[in-house]
Amino acid sequence: MNSDTINHMASAIRNAILAHEADIEGLDREIGDGDHYINMKRGCEAITNISAELAALPAADALNKIGMKLLSTIGGASGPLFASFFMSMGKSLKTSEHTDTLAIALAFESGVHAIMQRGKAQAGEKTMLDVLIPVASAFKHLAEQGRSAKEIALGLKNVASEGLESTRNMLATKGRASGLGERAIGHLDAGAKSCQVMIHTVCDLVGNS
Ligand code: ADP
Ligand code: MG
C-alpha cells in the first residue's frame, strides 16, 4: 500500500458516502441527532483536499496525517473515534515486521482497538464497532491463512454487511441512542452504516484491481 492507493481509496470513499446521504442521514435522525452524514461528508472532503500533501508521504505517515486532519475537522462522537483509528493504523504500519496484506490487517485491528479504547465500547453496543470488530478479526484470520487480496475483499464485504444488520435488534448502550432504550430496537446504527459503506468501497476497489 502506498499513498497513491490511499488517495484513490479516500476519493472513492468520499463518492460512496455522498451517494449514501439519504440512508446515513436518515439513520442518525431516527435514533441520533441527524448530524452523522454531515460529519462524514466534512471528514471526507477534508481528506480529499489534502491529497497532494498525502501523496508526498509514505503510507504510514499519510494515515497518521489523515487521523490528525479528521480530529480537527469532524465534530461529534465519531470524529475522535475515526481519528484514533487512522493514527493507530499509521503507527502500527510504521513499525510492522509483516508483509503487505498481514501488515495492513494487523494495522486495521490496531485501529479498531484504538476506537474501543477511546470510546470505551465493546461489540454488541449498537455502534460502528459492530461492523469494525468482526471485520478486523476476519481480515486478520484470512490474511494469516495467506488468502489473496481479492478473496479477502469478498469475504470482508459479507462480514461488514452482517455486522451492520446485527445492530438492528441491539439496545444501544453507547452514544446518543443509548438514552432511547427499547425504542432504538428495529433501527440500524448510523456509524455502522457508514463503516459498512466505506468497507464495501475499499473492498470493491481491491476486488476489481
Ligand atoms: P454524535 O453521536 O456526537 O452525533 P455522529 O453522529 O457523527 O456523532 O456519530 C454517531 C455514531 O458514532 C454512532 O452511530 C455510533 O456508531 C458511533 N459511536 C458513538 N459513540 C460511540 C462509542 N463510544 N464507541 C464507538 N462508536 C460510537
Ligand atoms: Mg449524530
Side-chain angles (χ1 to χ4, degrees), residues 113-152:
H113 282 155
I115 294 181
M116 294 173 76
Q117 269 177 350
R118 169 71 80 134
K120 300 187 174 54
Q122 316 270 332
E125 300 200 79
K126 202 178 182 95
T127 72
M128 57 173 76
L129 288 169
D130 293 306
V131 169
L132 296 173
I133 292 173
V135 166
S137 52
F139 192 178
K140 183 169 144 182
H141 182 68
L142 294 168
E144 280 171 348
Q145 286 183 333
R147 299 296 186 92
S148 71
K150 285 186 189 211
E151 280 177 301
I152 295 176

mmCIF file of all heavy atoms in Angstrom, residues 113-152:
data_model
loop_
_atom_site.group_PDB
_atom_site.id
_atom_site.type_symbol
_atom_site.label_atom_id
_atom_site.label_comp_id
_atom_site.label_asym_id
_atom_site.label_seq_id
_atom_site.Cartn_x
_atom_site.Cartn_y
_atom_site.Cartn_z
ATOM 1 N N HIS A 113 -8.938 -1.381 17.821
ATOM 2 C CA HIS A 113 -8.684 -1.369 19.271
ATOM 3 C C HIS A 113 -8.617 0.060 19.807
ATOM 4 O O HIS A 113 -9.090 0.346 20.903
ATOM 5 C CB HIS A 113 -7.381 -2.114 19.603
ATOM 6 C CG HIS A 113 -7.561 -3.594 19.572
ATOM 7 N ND1 HIS A 113 -6.532 -4.472 19.332
ATOM 8 C CD2 HIS A 113 -8.663 -4.363 19.733
ATOM 9 C CE1 HIS A 113 -7.000 -5.709 19.345
ATOM 10 N NE2 HIS A 113 -8.297 -5.668 19.585
ATOM 11 N N ALA A 114 -8.032 0.950 19.006
ATOM 12 C CA ALA A 114 -7.934 2.356 19.438
ATOM 13 C C ALA A 114 -9.331 2.975 19.571
ATOM 14 O O ALA A 114 -9.593 3.737 20.507
ATOM 15 C CB ALA A 114 -7.074 3.150 18.456
ATOM 16 N N ILE A 115 -10.243 2.619 18.657
ATOM 17 C CA ILE A 115 -11.627 3.123 18.760
ATOM 18 C C ILE A 115 -12.273 2.586 20.036
ATOM 19 O O ILE A 115 -12.954 3.311 20.766
ATOM 20 C CB ILE A 115 -12.470 2.707 17.527
ATOM 21 C CG1 ILE A 115 -11.943 3.383 16.268
ATOM 22 C CG2 ILE A 115 -13.944 3.035 17.743
ATOM 23 C CD1 ILE A 115 -12.725 3.045 14.996
ATOM 24 N N MET A 116 -12.038 1.304 20.310
ATOM 25 C CA MET A 116 -12.637 0.688 21.516
ATOM 26 C C MET A 116 -12.145 1.393 22.782
ATOM 27 O O MET A 116 -12.909 1.636 23.713
ATOM 28 C CB MET A 116 -12.283 -0.800 21.580
ATOM 29 C CG MET A 116 -12.921 -1.604 20.455
ATOM 30 S SD MET A 116 -12.340 -3.306 20.412
ATOM 31 C CE MET A 116 -13.265 -3.985 21.785
ATOM 32 N N GLN A 117 -10.852 1.710 22.791
ATOM 33 C CA GLN A 117 -10.287 2.390 23.961
ATOM 34 C C GLN A 117 -10.816 3.796 24.091
ATOM 35 O O GLN A 117 -11.233 4.225 25.159
ATOM 36 C CB GLN A 117 -8.772 2.448 23.838
ATOM 37 C CG GLN A 117 -8.133 1.244 24.484
ATOM 38 C CD GLN A 117 -6.626 1.258 24.311
ATOM 39 O OE1 GLN A 117 -6.087 2.057 23.554
ATOM 40 N NE2 GLN A 117 -5.968 0.370 25.013
ATOM 41 N N ARG A 118 -10.802 4.505 22.981
ATOM 42 C CA ARG A 118 -11.222 5.911 23.008
ATOM 43 C C ARG A 118 -12.702 6.031 23.384
ATOM 44 O O ARG A 118 -13.094 6.868 24.183
ATOM 45 C CB ARG A 118 -10.906 6.539 21.645
ATOM 46 C CG ARG A 118 -11.488 7.883 21.368
ATOM 47 C CD ARG A 118 -10.848 9.007 22.166
ATOM 48 N NE ARG A 118 -9.608 9.438 21.581
ATOM 49 C CZ ARG A 118 -9.284 10.723 21.398
ATOM 50 N NH1 ARG A 118 -10.109 11.686 21.761
ATOM 51 N NH2 ARG A 118 -8.127 11.025 20.859
ATOM 52 N N GLY A 119 -13.540 5.150 22.807
ATOM 53 C CA GLY A 119 -14.987 5.250 23.047
ATOM 54 C C GLY A 119 -15.451 4.388 24.214
ATOM 55 O O GLY A 119 -16.638 4.346 24.503
ATOM 56 N N LYS A 120 -14.527 3.682 24.846
ATOM 57 C CA LYS A 120 -14.846 2.778 25.965
ATOM 58 C C LYS A 120 -16.029 1.879 25.603
ATOM 59 O O LYS A 120 -16.992 1.757 26.344
ATOM 60 C CB LYS A 120 -15.159 3.574 27.236
ATOM 61 C CG LYS A 120 -13.992 4.439 27.682
ATOM 62 C CD LYS A 120 -14.258 5.087 29.034
ATOM 63 C CE LYS A 120 -13.050 5.841 29.556
ATOM 64 N NZ LYS A 120 -12.498 6.845 28.621
ATOM 65 N N ALA A 121 -15.932 1.271 24.422
ATOM 66 C CA ALA A 121 -17.047 0.442 23.955
ATOM 67 C C ALA A 121 -16.552 -0.916 23.465
ATOM 68 O O ALA A 121 -15.378 -1.091 23.128
ATOM 69 C CB ALA A 121 -17.789 1.165 22.840
ATOM 70 N N GLN A 122 -17.474 -1.847 23.437
ATOM 71 C CA GLN A 122 -17.209 -3.232 23.020
ATOM 72 C C GLN A 122 -18.169 -3.574 21.876
ATOM 73 O O GLN A 122 -19.027 -2.771 21.544
ATOM 74 C CB GLN A 122 -17.573 -4.191 24.165
ATOM 75 C CG GLN A 122 -17.124 -3.796 25.523
ATOM 76 C CD GLN A 122 -15.757 -4.355 25.813
ATOM 77 O OE1 GLN A 122 -15.406 -5.395 25.272
ATOM 78 N NE2 GLN A 122 -14.998 -3.655 26.627
ATOM 79 N N ALA A 123 -18.090 -4.829 21.428
ATOM 80 C CA ALA A 123 -19.074 -5.316 20.460
ATOM 81 C C ALA A 123 -20.432 -5.416 21.164
ATOM 82 O O ALA A 123 -20.489 -5.594 22.378
ATOM 83 C CB ALA A 123 -18.650 -6.688 19.945
ATOM 84 N N GLY A 124 -21.505 -5.290 20.393
ATOM 85 C CA GLY A 124 -22.848 -5.512 20.952
ATOM 86 C C GLY A 124 -23.477 -4.282 21.572
ATOM 87 O O GLY A 124 -24.504 -4.376 22.227
ATOM 88 N N GLU A 125 -22.869 -3.081 21.347
ATOM 89 C CA GLU A 125 -23.433 -1.853 21.934
ATOM 90 C C GLU A 125 -24.114 -0.966 20.889
ATOM 91 O O GLU A 125 -24.411 0.189 21.157
ATOM 92 C CB GLU A 125 -22.347 -1.083 22.686
ATOM 93 C CG GLU A 125 -21.742 -1.918 23.824
ATOM 94 C CD GLU A 125 -21.044 -1.074 24.867
ATOM 95 O OE1 GLU A 125 -21.740 -0.495 25.714
ATOM 96 O OE2 GLU A 125 -19.803 -0.981 24.790
ATOM 97 N N LYS A 126 -24.336 -1.539 19.699
ATOM 98 C CA LYS A 126 -25.028 -0.825 18.606
ATOM 99 C C LYS A 126 -24.231 0.396 18.154
ATOM 100 O O LYS A 126 -24.737 1.533 18.132
ATOM 101 C CB LYS A 126 -26.443 -0.413 19.052
ATOM 102 C CG LYS A 126 -27.430 -0.145 17.902
ATOM 103 C CD LYS A 126 -28.794 0.204 18.473
ATOM 104 C CE LYS A 126 -29.831 0.428 17.412
ATOM 105 N NZ LYS A 126 -30.624 -0.792 17.138
ATOM 106 N N THR A 127 -22.972 0.171 17.794
ATOM 107 C CA THR A 127 -22.146 1.262 17.258
ATOM 108 C C THR A 127 -21.407 0.749 16.017
ATOM 109 O O THR A 127 -21.527 -0.410 15.634
ATOM 110 C CB THR A 127 -21.070 1.738 18.256
ATOM 111 O OG1 THR A 127 -20.057 0.733 18.364
ATOM 112 C CG2 THR A 127 -21.646 2.058 19.626
ATOM 113 N N MET A 128 -20.571 1.632 15.475
ATOM 114 C CA MET A 128 -19.690 1.279 14.353
ATOM 115 C C MET A 128 -18.833 0.050 14.666
ATOM 116 O O MET A 128 -18.426 -0.675 13.758
ATOM 117 C CB MET A 128 -18.787 2.468 14.015
ATOM 118 C CG MET A 128 -17.945 2.947 15.171
ATOM 119 S SD MET A 128 -16.732 4.222 14.707
ATOM 120 C CE MET A 128 -17.729 5.666 14.531
ATOM 121 N N LEU A 129 -18.588 -0.194 15.939
ATOM 122 C CA LEU A 129 -17.734 -1.340 16.314
ATOM 123 C C LEU A 129 -18.376 -2.674 15.959
ATOM 124 O O LEU A 129 -17.675 -3.676 15.792
ATOM 125 C CB LEU A 129 -17.415 -1.297 17.807
ATOM 126 C CG LEU A 129 -16.424 -0.198 18.214
ATOM 127 C CD1 LEU A 129 -16.380 -0.044 19.722
ATOM 128 C CD2 LEU A 129 -15.028 -0.498 17.660
ATOM 129 N N ASP A 130 -19.694 -2.701 15.813
ATOM 130 C CA ASP A 130 -20.352 -3.970 15.444
ATOM 131 C C ASP A 130 -20.090 -4.342 13.986
ATOM 132 O O ASP A 130 -20.280 -5.497 13.602
ATOM 133 C CB ASP A 130 -21.852 -3.899 15.766
ATOM 134 C CG ASP A 130 -22.043 -3.820 17.270
ATOM 135 O OD1 ASP A 130 -21.506 -4.701 17.968
ATOM 136 O OD2 ASP A 130 -22.654 -2.848 17.751
ATOM 137 N N VAL A 131 -19.606 -3.385 13.204
ATOM 138 C CA VAL A 131 -19.077 -3.703 11.871
ATOM 139 C C VAL A 131 -17.557 -3.904 11.967
ATOM 140 O O VAL A 131 -17.007 -4.877 11.451
ATOM 141 C CB VAL A 131 -19.419 -2.570 10.863
ATOM 142 C CG1 VAL A 131 -18.650 -2.739 9.564
ATOM 143 C CG2 VAL A 131 -20.919 -2.563 10.593
ATOM 144 N N LEU A 132 -16.891 -2.996 12.661
ATOM 145 C CA LEU A 132 -15.415 -2.971 12.620
ATOM 146 C C LEU A 132 -14.762 -4.152 13.339
ATOM 147 O O LEU A 132 -13.744 -4.677 12.864
ATOM 148 C CB LEU A 132 -14.910 -1.648 13.217
ATOM 149 C CG LEU A 132 -15.316 -0.402 12.422
ATOM 150 C CD1 LEU A 132 -14.915 0.868 13.171
ATOM 151 C CD2 LEU A 132 -14.686 -0.418 11.032
ATOM 152 N N ILE A 133 -15.317 -4.575 14.482
ATOM 153 C CA ILE A 133 -14.671 -5.674 15.225
ATOM 154 C C ILE A 133 -14.714 -6.984 14.423
ATOM 155 O O ILE A 133 -13.672 -7.628 14.237
ATOM 156 C CB ILE A 133 -15.268 -5.830 16.654
ATOM 157 C CG1 ILE A 133 -14.905 -4.610 17.510
ATOM 158 C CG2 ILE A 133 -14.794 -7.120 17.321
ATOM 159 C CD1 ILE A 133 -15.589 -4.569 18.883
ATOM 160 N N PRO A 134 -15.893 -7.409 13.925
ATOM 161 C CA PRO A 134 -15.885 -8.652 13.130
ATOM 162 C C PRO A 134 -15.059 -8.539 11.845
ATOM 163 O O PRO A 134 -14.430 -9.524 11.439
ATOM 164 C CB PRO A 134 -17.364 -8.922 12.828
ATOM 165 C CG PRO A 134 -18.125 -7.744 13.263
ATOM 166 C CD PRO A 134 -17.278 -6.928 14.181
ATOM 167 N N VAL A 135 -15.035 -7.353 11.229
ATOM 168 C CA VAL A 135 -14.224 -7.199 10.012
ATOM 169 C C VAL A 135 -12.745 -7.330 10.364
ATOM 170 O O VAL A 135 -11.983 -8.011 9.672
ATOM 171 C CB VAL A 135 -14.523 -5.853 9.293
ATOM 172 C CG1 VAL A 135 -13.471 -5.534 8.234
ATOM 173 C CG2 VAL A 135 -15.919 -5.894 8.664
ATOM 174 N N ALA A 136 -12.328 -6.717 11.476
ATOM 175 C CA ALA A 136 -10.910 -6.805 11.880
ATOM 176 C C ALA A 136 -10.517 -8.251 12.133
ATOM 177 O O ALA A 136 -9.447 -8.699 11.697
ATOM 178 C CB ALA A 136 -10.662 -5.952 13.122
ATOM 179 N N SER A 137 -11.380 -9.013 12.818
ATOM 180 C CA SER A 137 -10.939 -10.382 13.111
ATOM 181 C C SER A 137 -10.967 -11.269 11.873
ATOM 182 O O SER A 137 -10.068 -12.091 11.688
ATOM 183 C CB SER A 137 -11.643 -10.997 14.327
ATOM 184 O OG SER A 137 -12.997 -10.884 14.185
ATOM 185 N N ALA A 138 -11.952 -11.057 10.991
ATOM 186 C CA ALA A 138 -11.957 -11.844 9.745
ATOM 187 C C ALA A 138 -10.763 -11.472 8.867
ATOM 188 O O ALA A 138 -10.139 -12.349 8.253
ATOM 189 C CB ALA A 138 -13.266 -11.598 8.991
ATOM 190 N N PHE A 139 -10.437 -10.195 8.813
ATOM 191 C CA PHE A 139 -9.313 -9.710 7.993
ATOM 192 C C PHE A 139 -8.015 -10.389 8.458
ATOM 193 O O PHE A 139 -7.262 -10.964 7.655
ATOM 194 C CB PHE A 139 -9.245 -8.181 8.139
ATOM 195 C CG PHE A 139 -8.350 -7.469 7.154
ATOM 196 C CD1 PHE A 139 -8.267 -6.075 7.183
ATOM 197 C CD2 PHE A 139 -7.597 -8.145 6.195
ATOM 198 C CE1 PHE A 139 -7.453 -5.379 6.291
ATOM 199 C CE2 PHE A 139 -6.786 -7.453 5.297
ATOM 200 C CZ PHE A 139 -6.707 -6.071 5.352
ATOM 201 N N LYS A 140 -7.803 -10.366 9.784
ATOM 202 C CA LYS A 140 -6.576 -10.966 10.313
ATOM 203 C C LYS A 140 -6.531 -12.472 10.023
ATOM 204 O O LYS A 140 -5.517 -13.004 9.570
ATOM 205 C CB LYS A 140 -6.519 -10.712 11.823
ATOM 206 C CG LYS A 140 -5.272 -11.225 12.496
ATOM 207 C CD LYS A 140 -5.217 -10.673 13.894
ATOM 208 C CE LYS A 140 -4.641 -11.636 14.878
ATOM 209 N NZ LYS A 140 -4.637 -11.089 16.225
ATOM 210 N N HIS A 141 -7.662 -13.124 10.252
ATOM 211 C CA HIS A 141 -7.747 -14.563 10.033
ATOM 212 C C HIS A 141 -7.444 -14.917 8.568
ATOM 213 O O HIS A 141 -6.630 -15.800 8.284
ATOM 214 C CB HIS A 141 -9.155 -15.014 10.433
ATOM 215 C CG HIS A 141 -9.397 -16.477 10.323
ATOM 216 N ND1 HIS A 141 -8.783 -17.393 11.145
ATOM 217 C CD2 HIS A 141 -10.178 -17.191 9.464
ATOM 218 C CE1 HIS A 141 -9.175 -18.605 10.795
ATOM 219 N NE2 HIS A 141 -10.023 -18.515 9.785
ATOM 220 N N LEU A 142 -8.088 -14.215 7.637
ATOM 221 C CA LEU A 142 -7.898 -14.508 6.208
ATOM 222 C C LEU A 142 -6.470 -14.183 5.766
ATOM 223 O O LEU A 142 -5.871 -14.915 4.970
ATOM 224 C CB LEU A 142 -8.911 -13.717 5.365
ATOM 225 C CG LEU A 142 -10.378 -14.129 5.563
ATOM 226 C CD1 LEU A 142 -11.323 -13.106 4.927
ATOM 227 C CD2 LEU A 142 -10.645 -15.522 4.984
ATOM 228 N N ALA A 143 -5.898 -13.107 6.313
ATOM 229 C CA ALA A 143 -4.517 -12.738 5.952
ATOM 230 C C ALA A 143 -3.536 -13.781 6.496
ATOM 231 O O ALA A 143 -2.579 -14.160 5.808
ATOM 232 C CB ALA A 143 -4.190 -11.344 6.483
ATOM 233 N N GLU A 144 -3.793 -14.255 7.706
ATOM 234 C CA GLU A 144 -2.905 -15.279 8.291
ATOM 235 C C GLU A 144 -2.964 -16.581 7.498
ATOM 236 O O GLU A 144 -1.995 -17.322 7.432
ATOM 237 C CB GLU A 144 -3.284 -15.537 9.756
ATOM 238 C CG GLU A 144 -2.726 -14.473 10.679
ATOM 239 C CD GLU A 144 -3.255 -14.570 12.109
ATOM 240 O OE1 GLU A 144 -4.238 -15.319 12.352
ATOM 241 O OE2 GLU A 144 -2.710 -13.876 12.979
ATOM 242 N N GLN A 145 -4.125 -16.853 6.910
ATOM 243 C CA GLN A 145 -4.262 -18.056 6.081
ATOM 244 C C GLN A 145 -3.621 -17.882 4.710
ATOM 245 O O GLN A 145 -3.644 -18.807 3.893
ATOM 246 C CB GLN A 145 -5.743 -18.362 5.856
ATOM 247 C CG GLN A 145 -6.451 -18.933 7.065
ATOM 248 C CD GLN A 145 -7.902 -19.262 6.710
ATOM 249 O OE1 GLN A 145 -8.492 -18.654 5.813
ATOM 250 N NE2 GLN A 145 -8.478 -20.220 7.396
ATOM 251 N N GLY A 146 -3.134 -16.688 4.416
ATOM 252 C CA GLY A 146 -2.463 -16.430 3.147
ATOM 253 C C GLY A 146 -3.425 -16.268 1.980
ATOM 254 O O GLY A 146 -3.042 -16.455 0.818
ATOM 255 N N ARG A 147 -4.684 -15.907 2.264
ATOM 256 C CA ARG A 147 -5.660 -15.712 1.170
ATOM 257 C C ARG A 147 -5.275 -14.516 0.298
ATOM 258 O O ARG A 147 -4.636 -13.579 0.771
ATOM 259 C CB ARG A 147 -7.061 -15.466 1.747
ATOM 260 C CG ARG A 147 -7.605 -16.595 2.584
ATOM 261 C CD ARG A 147 -7.799 -17.860 1.762
ATOM 262 N NE ARG A 147 -8.462 -18.860 2.585
ATOM 263 C CZ ARG A 147 -9.785 -19.007 2.633
ATOM 264 N NH1 ARG A 147 -10.569 -18.246 1.917
ATOM 265 N NH2 ARG A 147 -10.313 -19.927 3.405
ATOM 266 N N SER A 148 -5.716 -14.535 -0.942
ATOM 267 C CA SER A 148 -5.388 -13.433 -1.853
ATOM 268 C C SER A 148 -6.195 -12.195 -1.467
ATOM 269 O O SER A 148 -7.241 -12.292 -0.809
ATOM 270 C CB SER A 148 -5.750 -13.821 -3.287
ATOM 271 O OG SER A 148 -7.153 -13.848 -3.420
ATOM 272 N N ALA A 149 -5.709 -11.041 -1.923
ATOM 273 C CA ALA A 149 -6.395 -9.779 -1.618
ATOM 274 C C ALA A 149 -7.839 -9.823 -2.112
ATOM 275 O O ALA A 149 -8.757 -9.340 -1.442
ATOM 276 C CB ALA A 149 -5.634 -8.616 -2.238
ATOM 277 N N LYS A 150 -8.068 -10.429 -3.272
ATOM 278 C CA LYS A 150 -9.432 -10.485 -3.832
ATOM 279 C C LYS A 150 -10.356 -11.339 -2.968
ATOM 280 O O LYS A 150 -11.509 -10.984 -2.738
ATOM 281 C CB LYS A 150 -9.407 -11.017 -5.261
ATOM 282 C CG LYS A 150 -8.906 -9.955 -6.193
ATOM 283 C CD LYS A 150 -8.992 -10.342 -7.637
ATOM 284 C CE LYS A 150 -8.234 -9.259 -8.386
ATOM 285 N NZ LYS A 150 -8.614 -8.920 -9.657
ATOM 286 N N GLU A 151 -9.838 -12.491 -2.514
ATOM 287 C CA GLU A 151 -10.662 -13.361 -1.655
ATOM 288 C C GLU A 151 -10.999 -12.641 -0.345
ATOM 289 O O GLU A 151 -12.114 -12.738 0.164
ATOM 290 C CB GLU A 151 -9.878 -14.631 -1.281
ATOM 291 C CG GLU A 151 -9.853 -15.705 -2.342
ATOM 292 C CD GLU A 151 -8.982 -16.876 -1.884
ATOM 293 O OE1 GLU A 151 -7.769 -16.658 -1.610
ATOM 294 O OE2 GLU A 151 -9.505 -17.989 -1.775
ATOM 295 N N ILE A 152 -9.995 -11.955 0.190
ATOM 296 C CA ILE A 152 -10.213 -11.237 1.452
ATOM 297 C C ILE A 152 -11.273 -10.153 1.247
ATOM 298 O O ILE A 152 -12.202 -10.014 2.044
ATOM 299 C CB ILE A 152 -8.888 -10.633 1.981
ATOM 300 C CG1 ILE A 152 -7.912 -11.759 2.347
ATOM 301 C CG2 ILE A 152 -9.133 -9.727 3.180
ATOM 302 C CD1 ILE A 152 -6.525 -11.307 2.785
#
